[in-house]
Amino acid sequence: MLDQHVINSHYSRAGRLVSWGASVAVLLLAASLALAQYPGQIAKPEDKDKAPVLRAVAVLEWTGDLGKPKKARLIPLTVFDGQDLQDGDIYMARPEPLALAGEVEYELRRAGKNIGLFDVENSAQEEGMWVGYGTWKPMPAPKPEVVKAPAPIEDEDNDRPVLHRKHQSDNSGKTGGQDSGGPTLHRKDSDDSSTAPAPDPDRPVLHKAPESSDSGTQASTDNDRPKLQKKSEKTEDVGHVEALPAISDPDRPRLIRGKSEDTGPKVTPSLMGLPKDLEQAVAVSDARNLPEHPWTYEWANPADELKLKAMLEDQARAALGLTPAAAPAVKTKAVKTTHGKTRLTLPPLPAPLMDERFQVFELSYGAGATLVLSAHTDAPPAQQKFVTLIAQPDLYGGLLILLKNVTDAAHLDDTPRMRLIDAVDAESDNRGELVFELRGATQRRFVLYRVLRGQATRIYQSVPGTFGAGVEAQ
């Protein structure tokens, strides 16, 4: 049997170990909770004043002419905070998102080139998403270059003759007749009035203003003295009260008749639904003045573009079921008729691609071509099929299909059709992303795809928005 003193000592040490282990567990738990509150890299004290430079990307939709829209709306897409792409529809919403705050200016671009400016004046929720309203302005004219005048050339030739003016001290003791033969002007003496001509009464006479003893009204001749700008009478900011007839109580409230002044922001007409003449362009807002980055690919041989386009069109027809994928090419044959004449049979024409849109981009400096084609079949709207392809040329002269989107009018709610808008640099890294609109039967959303290393990856998808009631969509 163990001694009671040993047992008590054993339990005492065990209790201390348990309490020490519990304390360590509490400290570890507190440390983990503290780390959970600050995910990522912890900012240094000297980085507190360095705010990230934000870059917002949006899509402007309008009807009317370029630069003079009848109706327009701005749909925010993303806001890059320096590390990640944030959803522009909800980023810092109070209640409107930061991308649609008042006086935010966007640069409108097509294929990377500026086509105008859009100033946001107010915003509202429309068709399930935030939209902004404002004014389309032209791009400011570039400032002319100031040509500096050339510096004066210093003459180092000491043997060149130099003309000097004669000093007054040299002829101070000489008379006028000893200097030169030119005429000499003499000052009239004040007391010589006998030879003065009679004054002309009709001749105007200038009179000197009398000097005033008041220093406040004396004209100042100090050019360095600061001057106050005169306040315009039109901008008078002084309250005044006019007496009203037949009213004895001055504290009685009164209603002012007439039209009230418009102190709120200008509200432009709202663009509802998806009209047939809807135009779209990407918009970028960045605090930095970055140079333009065109996304158009320049072909070394224009024949290569026609060849790759024809190959991509064949891929689109095969995806739409217009041409069998492995159908052999039809050859031209000579057929003899009953009258002994020869008739040539031509191969059948390929099926037409309606509303075809074909664009080629260079999404980074020195990169290859990225081809995008979208079209639909020639059929009634309820039976149409849609296709969108993203491809790049391979090393063997063929095409590598990176993305294929195929759908029909009966399944647009499940698989919406992809409509290319443009390319845009969403993360300010001189690399372009492709902006698409996913348009379904009753809803639509916007997506961004990054094409890199032979893959097309979706990096952003907006919240869905609904169509306006009673507006025809195409």
Side-chain angles (χ1 to χ4, degrees), residues 336-350:
K336 292 184 178 181
T337 62
T338 55
H339 300 285
K341 296 182 180 180
T342 303
R343 183 180 59 187
L344 298 178
T345 58
L346 300 177
L349 296 176

Side-chain angles (χ1 to χ4, degrees), residues 242-376:
E242 296 180 359
L244 298 179
I247 296 178
S248 59
D249 187 3
D251 298 330
R252 181 182 179 182
R254 304 173 182 86
L255 297 178
I256 301 176
R257 297 181 60 186
K259 187 177 180 180
S260 60
E261 295 182 358
D262 185 13
T263 58
K266 180 181 178 182
V267 180
T268 56
S270 176
L271 175 62
M272 302 296 295
L274 300 174
K276 292 184 177 181
D277 58 344
L278 183 69
E279 298 286 342
Q280 295 174 320
V282 296
V284 179
S285 179
D286 199 317
R288 298 164 296 180
N289 293 326
L290 301 178
E292 293 183 352
H293 187 160
W295 305 112
T296 304
Y297 184 79
E298 299 293 339
W299 294 91
N301 186 4
D304 295 339
E305 180 181 7
L306 299 178
K307 176 183 176 181
L308 293 177
K309 179 182 179 182
M311 297 173 60
L312 195 60
E313 289 175 343
D314 292 340
Q315 292 285 344
R317 292 187 181 94
L320 294 174
L322 300 178
T323 305
V330 179
K331 297 181 180 179
T332 304
K333 297 180 180 180
V335 180
K336 292 184 178 181
T337 62
T338 55
H339 300 285
K341 296 182 180 180
T342 303
R343 183 180 59 187
L344 298 178
T345 58
L346 300 177
L349 296 176
L353 296 175
M354 307 304 296
D355 194 18
E356 181 180 354
R357 299 181 182 181
F358 175 74
Q359 287 184 263
V360 185
F361 299 97
E362 183 181 3
L363 298 179
S364 61
Y365 290 117
T370 300
L371 296 79
V372 181
L373 185 143
S374 62
H376 64 81

Side-chain angles (χ1 to χ4, degrees), residues 5-289:
H5 177 73
V6 175
I7 294 175
N8 294 336
S9 176
H10 173 74
Y11 278 101
S12 176
R13 289 196 299 271
R16 288 196 298 269
L17 291 175
V18 171
S19 62
W20 180 81
S23 301
V24 172
V26 171
L27 292 177
L28 292 176
L29 180 60
S32 63
L33 292 176
L35 291 177
Q37 295 177 358
Y38 300 96
Q41 184 179 1
I42 301 177
K44 298 180 181 180
E46 59 270 14
D47 296 338
K48 291 182 179 180
D49 298 334
K50 296 181 180 180
V53 179
L54 303 179
R55 182 180 182 87
V57 174
V59 172
L60 182 70
E61 298 181 334
W62 77 93
T63 59
D65 298 333
L66 183 69
K68 297 180 180 180
K70 298 178 181 178
K71 299 179 181 180
R73 64 188 173 203
L74 186 74
I75 304 174
L77 298 187
T78 62
V79 176
F80 183 66
D81 60 0
Q83 295 183 352
D84 301 314
L85 282 178
Q86 305 293 339
D87 191 349
D89 191 77
I90 60 176
Y91 182 72
M92 298 186 67
R94 301 177 181 176
E96 74 279 353
L98 179 65
L100 297 180
E103 299 181 358
V104 174
E105 187 174 68
Y106 283 85
E107 292 181 353
L108 307 178
R109 298 177 181 177
R110 276 189 172 175
K113 295 184 178 180
N114 296 329
I115 60 175
L117 300 174
F118 188 83
D119 291 347
V120 179
E121 297 179 359
N122 60 338
S123 58
Q125 280 191 327
E126 179 182 300
E127 300 176 350
M129 61 179 64
W130 277 96
V131 296
Y133 307 109
T135 305
W136 185 320
K137 301 190 305 182
M139 293 296 299
K143 297 181 179 179
E145 297 182 359
V146 179
V147 180
K148 296 183 179 180
I153 301 176
E154 297 182 359
D155 190 2
E156 298 180 355
D157 188 5
N158 297 328
D159 298 335
R160 185 177 180 179
V162 180
L163 299 178
H164 298 276
R165 178 174 294 179
K166 187 176 181 181
H167 296 285
Q168 186 177 359
S169 59
D170 295 342
N171 57 356
S172 58
K174 299 179 181 180
T175 60
Q178 296 176 353
D179 188 9
S180 62
T184 304
L185 299 179
H186 299 276
R187 178 177 295 180
K188 180 182 177 182
D189 296 335
S190 59
D191 54 351
D192 189 5
S193 59
S194 58
T195 60
D200 187 1
D202 298 332
R203 182 179 181 182
V205 181
L206 297 178
H207 299 277
K208 186 176 181 181
E211 297 182 357
S212 176
S213 59
D214 188 1
S215 59
T217 60
Q218 185 177 0
S220 175
T221 59
D222 189 5
N223 295 328
D224 297 332
R225 182 180 180 183
K227 302 177 179 60
L228 297 177
Q229 184 178 0
K230 186 177 181 181
K231 191 173 183 179
S232 176
E233 297 180 357
K234 296 182 179 180
T235 59
E236 183 180 3
D237 191 13
V238 179
H240 59 277
V241 178
E242 296 180 359
L244 298 179
I247 296 178
S248 59
D249 187 3
D251 298 330
R252 181 182 179 182
R254 304 173 182 86
L255 297 178
I256 301 176
R257 297 181 60 186
K259 187 177 180 180
S260 60
E261 295 182 358
D262 185 13
T263 58
K266 180 181 178 182
V267 180
T268 56
S270 176
L271 175 62
M272 302 296 295
L274 300 174
K276 292 184 177 181
D277 58 344
L278 183 69
E279 298 286 342
Q280 295 174 320
V282 296
V284 179
S285 179
D286 199 317
R288 298 164 296 180
N289 293 326

